Amino acid sequence: MKKILFAGAGVLALGLGTAHSAEVQLRVLETTDIHVHIVDYDYYKDAPSVAVGLARTATLIKEARKEATNSLLIDNGDLIQGNPLGDYMAKERGLKKGEVHPVFKAMNLLKYDVGNLGNHEFNYGLDFLTETLNDAAFPYISSNVFIDDGDNDPSNDKSAFNPYIILDREVVDTEGNKHKIKVGVIGFLPPQITQWDEANLKGKLVTHDIVDTAKRYVPEMKEKGADVIIAVPHSGLSDVTPQGRDENATYHLSKVEGLDAILFGHAHAVFPSETYKDIAGVDIEKGTINGVAATMPGFWGSHLGLVDLTLDVDDNGNWKVIDSTGSTRGIYKRDGRKKHPLVKADQTIVDAVKHEHEETIEFMRKAVGTTSAPINSFFALVQDDPSIQIVTNAQKWYVEKLIKGTEYDGIPVLSAGAPFKAGGRGGADYYTNIPTGEIALKNVADLYIYPNTLRAVLLNGAQVREWLEMSAGAFNQIDKKNDGEQSLLNPDFPSYNFDVIDGVEYNVDLTQPARYNKEGQVVNSDSHRIIDMTYQGKPLDMDAQFIVATNNYRAHGGGNFPALDGTTVIIQAPDENRTVLANYIFDQKKIDPSADKNWGFAPIKEGVNVTFETTPSAKDILGSKDIISYVGEGKDGFGKYQISFE
């Protein structure tokens, strides 16, 4: 394994001063989940975008710094993967020794103080990660990632990266006097990286629980003189009871004694916001979680996070946080469907990555085939859909070739796919929409936006059904006795966890409660939403074996699906799912993307009024005999539609 050992907390010196009793304002700025969105450009639409890009966030950073006498800038990971520029650098162009990755060309100009690793940093392997991090002009941290020493004894594990860093800084108080201060910054990432990226990390790295790791290191940071401690978890906010090794551990992390601020991410959401107002201990007006100031600034550069700390220092140089707030600032605002820019892009950032940006655009315009019909994901969450069908067809084609002549030859192959671009937090324009005609690489990447690698699992019919039961959590329960308007889609269920499995036929009974919660726990053991399951026209044999094509994220536990924990994997393919898709289109030359309608909703005879939201553009493709009808404008630029179950 190429060098990844950066263990041992570092100390950066930046000036001295004298103790003086006074008040100090310290502003801590955060970016997170940039996912290689450096330029304000949508590579899938091949057009500029006002809603993405560190180049625009950079303008907010510079403004926020001017307002503050003392500030720090920290990035919270998921930086080097996530759009075609990231894939181009890792898979096509490559990064030679001594070359600077474009993300760090930009970030070095902004003079970041610290970077934390996210889960997607490991998608391209450790060698590429190491070569990329060499380009950063600032230190990187991650406290709950350790070298795998193979002894199954976590107590003697050695850190793979600096778990934390203590920055020596000079600050100026409100009276103009200078002081020394030690700011400790500790980073965390989801322990699940060893499952999600098993092919890259098995036998190399192990991970520990986020909260347990904090309890270990925070006292150590205090002992080493940290006056202020900032936690940087690449982890979302949920107040569910901890299960151990939790992916979204920020809420419980906030209860660890000694933390003065939390900069979090991973969830692609904004904190403080109304989304979190009902969680006990959360103050969205002040921007605190259990009294600790916190921020989560969206994704793709959409926001800048700010934590403002008011510090008091006594004559002996002892520091105390006496007030704190968390907030965010956006690069755009929404007015219905329109997105209005609030800032301009920083041209120095745009110029820094101009060459790689233009190369990526040229690469993504290459054609791989043609489609005989439009491909869109407008209704992917409510009916069988061509944007999923083309992916599942490609995966099935690939796996059937792989098993030919092996012990698995003859076992039926099913294929699972999900709509990755289906509105949600991405907004009313966040949908796949490919017209009839040429399909380019940018369209392939639009259909499959993640760099997952293909996996196949061996399951029985009962396990396939449970997989679909978990997926059916995407829908709210419909009360057939309620004649008022009812919402179909569960807003807390991410579209990428709504798996459709092609090769079997089934209906979803919406009048039943969800069998599973989002943590994968059975909460209604007597409930079955998945009914009328058949295979080749006959009732599904629950004991029969099936091979299901999927991706590494799902096969190794992503989304908490039953029977998908890595133990059922029989094929670990070297190819990415979207490479499989591109090769399938290239092989077929011309494709018919029409959906085979293998699933649908069970009838509800009571004539309920059930609605959902998708892009307003979807109304233009509705036919007179469609079970879906356009109702009118929805929220935040979406359109509202009604669906019939008769």
Side-chain angles (χ1 to χ4, degrees), residues 416-433:
F420 297 136
K421 296 182 68 177
R425 289 170 179 157
D429 296 321
Y430 192 58
Y431 294 87
T432 293
N433 188 17

Side-chain angles (χ1 to χ4, degrees), residues 543-610:
D543 295 321
Q545 284 191 318
F546 295 92
I547 295 170
V548 188
T550 182
N551 59 59
N552 62 300
Y553 174 76
R554 182 71 76 241
H556 293 276
N560 303 308
F561 279 64
L564 299 177
D565 58 1
T567 60
T568 54
V569 173
I570 59 168
I571 295 173
Q572 298 194 52
D575 294 315
E576 292 184 354
N577 295 67
R578 60 184 169 203
T579 299
V580 170
L581 176 58
N583 289 339
Y584 172 73
I585 296 170
F586 187 78
D587 179 80
Q588 302 291 310
K589 302 301 181 187
K590 186 174 183 178
I591 59 166
D592 174 9
S594 57
D596 61 10
K597 297 180 171 56
N598 71 301
W599 76 275
F601 295 115
I604 303 176
K605 297 180 180 180
E606 283 74 10
V608 290
N609 177 16
V610 177

Side-chain angles (χ1 to χ4, degrees), residues 414-417 461-475 493 497-502 504-508 515-516 529-531 533 540 561-562 564 598-599:
L414 312 178
S415 188
Q463 290 170 317
V464 172
R465 184 184 189 184
E466 292 304 296
W467 184 334
L468 290 170
E469 288 285 2
M470 179 68 187
S471 182
F475 308 114
F493 196 97
N497 278 343
F498 177 63
D499 281 349
V500 170
I501 298 183
D502 277 303
V504 290
E505 300 78 37
Y506 56 96
N507 286 321
V508 182
R515 182 170 171 82
Y516 291 90
R529 285 182 161 182
I530 304 302
I531 62 172
M533 282 198 77
L540 184 72
F561 279 64
L564 299 177
N598 71 301
W599 76 275

Side-chain angles (χ1 to χ4, degrees), residues 40-246:
D40 48 345
Y41 199 85
D42 186 329
Y43 293 101
Y44 304 120
K45 292 183 178 179
D46 201 359
S49 171
V50 303
V52 304
L54 182 62
R56 289 182 180 264
T57 325
T59 301
L60 294 178
I61 291 169
K62 292 180 178 180
E63 290 175 351
R65 276 174 165 163
K66 286 180 181 178
E67 299 165 2
T69 306
N70 312 292
S71 66
L72 296 170
L73 176 60
I74 298 172
D75 182 70
N76 193 6
D78 276 11
L79 175 68
I80 66 172
Q81 178 281 329
N83 75 2
L85 173 58
D87 290 332
Y88 177 72
M89 291 302 302
K91 298 290 188 179
E92 180 68 17
R93 185 181 185 275
L95 192 64
K96 297 177 183 178
K97 193 170 184 178
E99 285 186 323
V100 178
H101 194 289
V103 296
F104 290 122
K105 286 185 178 181
M107 297 176 79
N108 291 345
L109 286 172
L110 290 169
K111 300 186 185 304
Y112 276 76
D113 291 276
V114 182
N116 179 48
L117 296 173
N119 52 290
H120 282 289
E121 259 62 73
F122 299 88
N123 289 168
Y124 302 131
L126 291 174
D127 286 348
F128 186 80
L129 174 58
T130 301
E131 185 60 44
T132 303
L133 293 184
N134 286 342
D135 304 335
F138 48 92
Y140 261 85
I141 54 174
S142 189
S143 69
N144 62 322
V145 185
F146 299 83
I147 302 294
D148 186 356
D149 56 16
D151 66 2
N152 294 318
D153 179 7
S155 67
N156 64 5
D157 288 347
K158 295 182 179 179
S159 297
F161 304 90
N162 279 339
Y164 60 84
I165 197 161
I166 298 176
L167 306 172
D168 273 359
R169 288 295 188 258
E170 180 182 86
V171 292
V172 180
D173 66 29
T174 53
E175 298 175 4
N177 300 302
K178 296 180 180 180
H179 305 266
K180 294 184 297 181
I181 187 171
K182 292 182 181 292
V183 181
V185 187
I186 181 169
F188 310 87
L189 52 67
Q192 289 74 18
I193 63 164
T194 50
Q195 297 168 253
W196 300 338
D197 268 307
E198 183 186 37
N200 292 326
L201 304 181
K202 188 175 183 179
K204 299 176 182 179
L205 298 180
V206 295
T207 54
H208 293 184
D209 180 81
I210 290 175
V211 175
D212 289 346
T213 303
K215 290 177 179 178
R216 169 186 172 181
Y217 282 125
V218 170
E220 182 179 305
M221 295 168 74
K222 286 286 188 183
E223 289 175 8
K224 291 188 176 181
D227 299 303
V228 174
I229 296 181
I230 301 166
V232 191
H234 193 84
S235 180
L237 178 60
S238 172
D239 62 347
V240 298
T241 303
Q243 303 296 312
R245 294 178 58 81
D246 298 281

